Structure formats: structure tokens, C-alpha cells
Amino acid sequence: MQYSYNQSNKLMKIRSDWQLKEGVSVEDLQQGLTDDLSLCRQESTEREIWVLDDADWQLWQADRLLLREDGTRLRLYDADDNCLAAATAPEKSRFWWELPAGELAEKIRESVPLRAFVAKFQCRISQQLLAVLNTDEKTVVRLRLFGLTRTDGSELQLLSILPLRGYRREYDQVIALLLPQLLVKTAPLTLRQLLVQAGMEITALPGKPSFGLDGREPSEEAVTRMAVKLIQLARHQEQGIIEDIDSEFVHQYRVNIRKARSLIALFKKTLSQPRYLALKGELKALGQITNRLRDLDVFLLDQDHYRRLLPDGFQAGLDHLYRRLRRRRAAAFKSVREQLSTEAYLERISNVLLTLNRPAEFCSAQAQTGIRELVAKKISIQYAAIVRDGSAIDEQTPDSAVHELRIECKKLRYLLELFAELFEKSLLKSLLKQLKELQDNLGRFNDFSVQREFLDQLVGSRGSSDEERASINGLAAVLYNQQLAERGQVVANVNRFIAAPVQENFQQLFHSEGQEPSEP
């Protein structure tokens, strides 16, 4: 089906788009014209299409539209209905790397590098091309009549009226003559608009939640309210985990649970001791459910990268390794799916929400302090701790101290991101960028350490062949060298983040006049 409106350079840029009154036919349109104008039917098409996107509609949000037509044909359109790329792929294809190598795979990779694209909407669209002819049988106006079957089963007809150069008077005349059949003007009938008219709803969740914070809100109320939203965002991932759509559902579930845990831990003095301990235990248990599955997912997702690290002689051993990991992953997924479906899990997460939703108890001064004041103080203290510990790090500092600094940086990152709406955006954005550069370095250093530990467990497990153990040992050696390289950059990155200009920016944004950092 051709969706572009730019088929002929004779078409003028102006056009009008309309919804037709119910029951209007092509014959009714013909009868609405005067004797000196006639309607000629031209090409007619009808297609059933499936809109594909990931869970968060990232293609749609990037002004891209991925359609599956005729079962196996995929086309990617931009916001102006230009086809950017196309390919034929089996219906079971859900990731860019499962598509034939080429432009379509690469363009999808740009927007959804890790997520599965699944059917989000299905509808049938018919298109009838019509030409309005004058007495000389010259085409003076073009019409495009669209028929949609909406999700509620109702029928909808939409009409685009397009003038040709040199026939503006006839274009105005046709609109005036057809007004009795026209209902209301609509937005330009791009393919995206047609899908919305057919009933498609965009239900993307925000990547970073907004909490609607008021800086004067008592801290206990703000913290518990924010934690509720994070738990709700985690729950939005559950069905995607159970259906095993893609690994990002597990990742997002864990991110939101982890943020809730950190929020409660960082502000534990705003809660009563029984309330804090109850939340601490339950949130820890929720976070542990997906530990094994996530570890295996990460290693499997990096498969291509790991293969590139080793020469050809080690590839057969890696084949054996990844077959074993996929079996373990299947078992870990089965366990997670079963746990998420149990009454015990539902009761646990319900208890967390009930505990968070209880009225504020205001058991401490911090609980009653305005959230902006308390957050600014905590950020100042957290950064001061990083400055203190970072100043002591040199090339001889034990790896364990570097790992501890990474944890402190993660706490600061959570504080800056969760409460970003309370502070001046441009300066905060700059500080986050500088923190992220340090975190990326510390994160890679930690990841290599975790991956090596994971490989150590595998090499000692039963059932591994000599060929597989050789590949594991080879990979561990490469990762060790990469970890050393990251370790060599730590001192310089830490020093940049604790330098005087950065300290001044933190002072400017988060310190009240005369305030000295101290443990709250």
C-alpha cells in the first residue's frame, strides 16, 4: 500500500482532510458535484496491518512507525509516511538482530537496541483513489478516501482533498460542493493519524517518573509517596517478565525495586523503626527474586561482544558454554515466573504498598522537615563523603575501596535523579553528567569483576568439557586485562569529580547559607 502524498510534483502542498458523515458513499460524492465535474475511480487497495513497537513505544516516540503487512513484510516509515527501509522476515522475529542484515535492522537498532518489538495494534485500512475531472476530462482535483474499521467495530470514512497546480478554483469549488457530505475537519491524514483515528492508544510509560514534588512537603509523606510510585512502576513490568517478551522487563523491574530500596534506606530516619524494618525486609526479598535470571541475561546479551574478544580457536568452547547458559536461563526464568504468580508474592508486594500508604507518623524531626531542605542536606553530605573517600584513592588503593566508592556514587546518583524536579535544571544536569562519567568507569570496573567471578563459578562446575574450560579461562584473562585498564582510569576520573569547580557547583546548588555538612 502506498501511503505517501508526494506521488506527483503536480500536487500542491495545501490540502484539506475530513471525516465523512456516516453512510456516505462514492456515489454520494459524485452526486454532490455539478454537471461540469465528474468523479473517476482509480486504484483501490485494502490491507490488514500490524503496528509493531516495544513496550514503551520507543519507535513511535522517535517518529518512526514499524508495520507488518501481508504476514512477513516489514516496513519502517517516518512521520511524513516516507518508507525508510523494508525487509521480509518471519512473524516470530522480535529483535533487530533476528531481521535480515540491512538497513531496516540497523534503523530499528538505533531506537530499540535491546527490546523486543511486538504487535501493539491491528486494523484494516482501505484506500480508494479518486480523480475529479472537468469537461475536458482533465484531472483537476484528487481525492483519497480511507475506510477504517475501529477497535469497537464501527466504520469510519476519512477523505483527503488534494488540489493540482493551476486548479485552485476547482479545488475550492469541490470543497464547497461536498460540504453536505463532510462532517468535520481532521488533522492531516498521515498514516500515524489514521491509526489514531482507528482507535490505537499510545500507552508508553515515562522513562523517568515525575513525582510532582513540593519542596515544602513533609519528608515522610514525600518519601513514602515516591516509593509507592516506584513499586507501581515495577509492577507494570510483571506481565512482560511472565510472558518473557524481552530481558528489559526484568531490568526495569529491578531498577524500580532498587530505587525504592535506596530511597527507604537513605531516608530511614523519616520513618518509625517498625515501619522501616518491615519495608527493608520485604523490599530486599523482592529484589532477590530476579537476581539469578538477570545475571544470566546480562551474560547472554553480551554474547557477541564476548565472542569478539577471543580468537577462532575458542569459539567452539563458547558454543558449548552458551548452550549451557541458555539451559540455566530457562530454569531461572521458570522459577521467576512461578514466584511472580504465587499468593506469597502478591501478599508480599501488597504488604509493601499497604505499609507505604499508611498515614504519616512523624516520629522524628526529619519526618516533618520539608523534603527539599532534607534532600539538599543529604546530597551535600553524600558528596562530601565522596570527596573525602575519593581524595584517599591512588594507584595502590585496594579494589574493595574502589567498589565502596562506586556504591557511594550510586547513592548520590539516586538522590540527584529522584529529586531532580526540586532543583535548578541546567546546573543539576551538568553535575549528573560529570557523575555519570565517573560512574561509567567505576561501573565497568565492577562489571568486569562480577563477570570474572561468574566465569570462575562456571569453570568449576560439573559437566564442562576441556574445550569449554579453555574458552572460559581465555575469556576470564581478557576480562582481567580490561579490568586493569579501567582501574588505571579511576584516579583521574575521581579527581575530576572532586575538583574545586565541581565542589563549588555542589555548594551553590545544595548548601544553604552557613550550612555545614554533618551526618543527619
Side-chain angles (χ1 to χ4, degrees):
M1 179 183 286
Q2 176 58 259
Y3 296 107
S4 175
Y5 287 107
N6 302 315
Q7 293 182 11
S8 170
N9 58 14
K10 293 181 180 180
L11 291 176
M12 296 176 65
K13 290 185 178 180
I14 61 169
R15 74 168 194 261
S16 60
D17 300 278
W18 302 81
Q19 179 180 336
L20 294 184
K21 291 181 178 177
E22 187 174 354
V24 171
S25 65
V26 174
E27 288 71 25
D28 294 327
L29 296 177
Q30 171 64 72
Q31 291 175 13
L33 300 176
T34 55
D35 292 341
D36 59 338
L37 297 173
S38 61
L39 206 56
C40 175
R41 292 177 186 260
Q42 297 181 327
E43 180 185 354
S44 177
T45 57
E46 185 172 5
R47 290 287 190 276
E48 188 156 14
I49 62 175
W50 288 260
V51 179
L52 307 180
D53 213 321
D54 78 337
D56 295 325
W57 293 87
Q58 290 189 84
L59 286 170
W60 179 274
Q61 295 183 76
D63 288 331
R64 299 290 182 263
L65 185 62
L66 181 62
L67 299 184
R68 185 184 296 281
E69 305 173 44
D70 303 323
T72 60
R73 189 65 175 169
L74 293 175
R75 288 188 175 90
L76 184 68
Y77 295 91
D78 65 12
D80 296 320
D81 294 351
N82 298 307
C83 185
L84 303 176
T88 298
E91 288 190 43
K92 64 180 181 180
S93 302
R94 298 194 306 161
F95 299 91
W96 68 265
W97 59 83
E98 294 176 344
L99 300 176
E103 192 173 12
L104 179 64
E106 287 304 312
K107 287 188 177 297
I108 293 176
R109 181 183 187 180
E110 293 171 6
S111 297
V112 282
L114 295 176
R115 306 221 67 167
F117 47 87
V118 296
K120 308 287 284 185
F121 184 71
Q122 177 184 356
C123 71
R124 184 172 291 274
I125 298 179
S126 65
Q127 181 180 237
Q128 173 73 68
L129 302 183
L130 304 163
V132 178
L133 310 179
N134 62 14
T135 53
D136 295 329
E137 295 194 351
K138 288 185 177 180
T139 301
V140 294
V141 178
R142 293 193 185 279
L143 306 180
R144 296 182 189 275
L145 179 62
F146 296 99
L148 306 178
T149 302
R150 297 168 119 170
T151 50
D152 61 4
S154 62
E155 299 290 333
L156 179 67
Q157 290 194 103
L158 300 160
L159 183 70
S160 283
I161 305 176
L162 302 99
L164 274 66
R165 285 193 176 91
Y167 296 101
R168 177 59 189 262
R169 182 179 63 82
E170 286 81 355
Y171 166 76
D172 292 335
Q173 181 185 6
V174 167
I175 291 178
L177 291 170
L178 294 183
L179 276 176
Q181 283 82 32
L182 305 177
L183 185 60
V184 291
K185 270 193 173 184
T186 71
L189 292 177
T190 61
L191 183 51
R192 292 163 70 92
Q193 179 62 22
L194 288 172
L195 291 167
V196 171
Q197 292 275 12
M200 187 172 78
E201 296 181 1
I202 312 302
T203 55
L205 292 171
K208 294 182 179 179
S210 173
F211 299 102
L213 292 170
D214 180 337
R216 299 163 297 180
E217 183 178 5
S219 290
E220 182 179 3
E221 293 180 349
V223 166
T224 52
R225 184 169 59 80
M226 292 169 70
V228 166
K229 186 160 189 176
L230 291 168
I231 298 299
Q232 290 170 340
L233 288 172
R235 297 220 64 190
H236 278 293
Q237 313 301 320
E238 289 172 355
Q239 194 58 39
I241 297 174
I242 291 169
E243 295 178 14
D244 202 19
I245 294 173
D246 63 44
S247 62
E248 194 68 10
F249 285 97
V250 175
H251 176 58
Q252 292 301 324
Y253 176 89
R254 291 171 59 80
V255 165
N256 285 294
I257 294 293
R258 190 164 59 241
K259 285 182 177 179
R261 287 182 68 186
S262 295
L263 186 65
I264 295 302
L266 287 164
F267 292 87
K268 61 184 179 182
K269 292 186 179 180
T270 67
L271 306 173
S272 67
Q273 187 74 351
R275 195 180 194 188
Y276 165 68
L277 292 175
L279 290 169
K280 178 184 177 183
E282 297 284 41
L283 289 172
K284 181 180 179 180
L286 290 173
Q288 290 174 337
I289 292 173
T290 54
N291 280 351
R292 183 62 173 165
L293 179 58
R294 182 58 185 169
D295 287 345
L296 290 162
D297 276 343
V298 168
F299 212 82
L300 289 167
L301 284 169
D302 284 339
Q303 179 177 171
D304 290 342
H305 170 66
Y306 291 140
R307 288 188 180 280
R308 288 192 295 271
L309 295 178
L310 294 180
D312 292 342
F314 291 92
Q315 297 303 316
L318 287 179
D319 290 340
H320 294 307
L321 170 62
Y322 279 105
R323 279 197 292 271
R324 187 148 59 101
L325 291 180
R326 282 191 286 271
R327 289 195 297 271
R328 291 190 178 189
R329 198 268 176 194
F333 165 68
K334 181 180 178 182
S335 173
V336 169
R337 182 175 60 186
E338 289 173 352
Q339 288 186 71
L340 294 184
S341 303
T342 62
E343 286 295 326
Y345 170 78
L346 295 175
E347 184 176 349
R348 168 163 281 144
I349 207 159
S350 295
N351 285 340
V352 169
L353 290 171
L354 285 172
T355 303
L356 288 169
N357 280 317
R358 289 205 318 248
E361 299 168 296
F362 297 128
C363 293
S364 67
Q366 283 194 27
Q368 301 175 61
T369 302
I371 188 63
R372 190 185 190 283
E373 177 185 342
L374 185 58
V375 169
K377 187 174 183 180
K378 284 188 174 292
I379 289 174
S380 299
I381 293 166
Q382 191 64 34
Y383 180 64
I386 292 171
V387 171
R388 181 192 65 234
D389 296 343
S391 300
I393 287 183
D394 56 27
E395 287 77 4
Q396 283 71 49
T397 302
D399 288 355
S400 58
V402 177
H403 289 309
E404 287 298 321
L405 183 66
R406 180 187 65 85
I407 293 171
E408 295 305 314
C409 287
K410 181 179 286 189
K411 292 177 183 177
L412 179 61
R413 174 81 172 268
Y414 283 150
L415 284 168
L416 294 176
E417 288 186 340
L418 287 170
F419 296 96
E421 58 198 87
L422 291 175
F423 301 97
E424 196 272 317
K425 290 182 180 179
S426 61
L427 185 52
L428 181 64
K429 184 177 179 181
S430 174
L431 293 175
L432 274 168
K433 181 181 178 181
Q434 294 171 86
L435 174 58
K436 187 177 184 299
E437 290 173 357
L438 172 59
Q439 269 196 297
D440 286 346
N441 175 206
L442 296 175
R444 287 190 297 268
F445 175 71
N446 181 69
D447 288 345
F448 289 136
S449 177
V450 171
Q451 289 161 1
R452 287 175 56 217
E453 290 177 10
F454 184 75
L455 290 172
D456 286 343
Q457 295 171 5
L458 290 174
V459 78
S461 61
R462 296 173 56 186
S464 57
S465 65
D466 291 341
E467 193 175 40
E468 187 177 338
R469 284 194 292 272
S471 295
I472 293 173
N473 287 329
L475 187 55
V478 173
L479 291 176
Y480 176 69
N481 288 330
Q482 291 186 334
Q483 185 180 10
L484 288 179
E486 289 295 337
R487 180 67 171 82
Q489 298 177 38
V490 167
V491 173
N493 285 324
V494 169
N495 287 339
R496 274 195 293 271
F497 187 63
I498 65 175
V502 182
Q503 292 192 40
E504 290 170 5
N505 285 337
F506 270 93
Q507 175 79 26
Q508 175 184 339
L509 193 56
F510 300 112
H511 284 184
S512 300
E513 190 169 337
Q515 176 184 305
E516 292 295 330
S518 60
E519 182 62 35

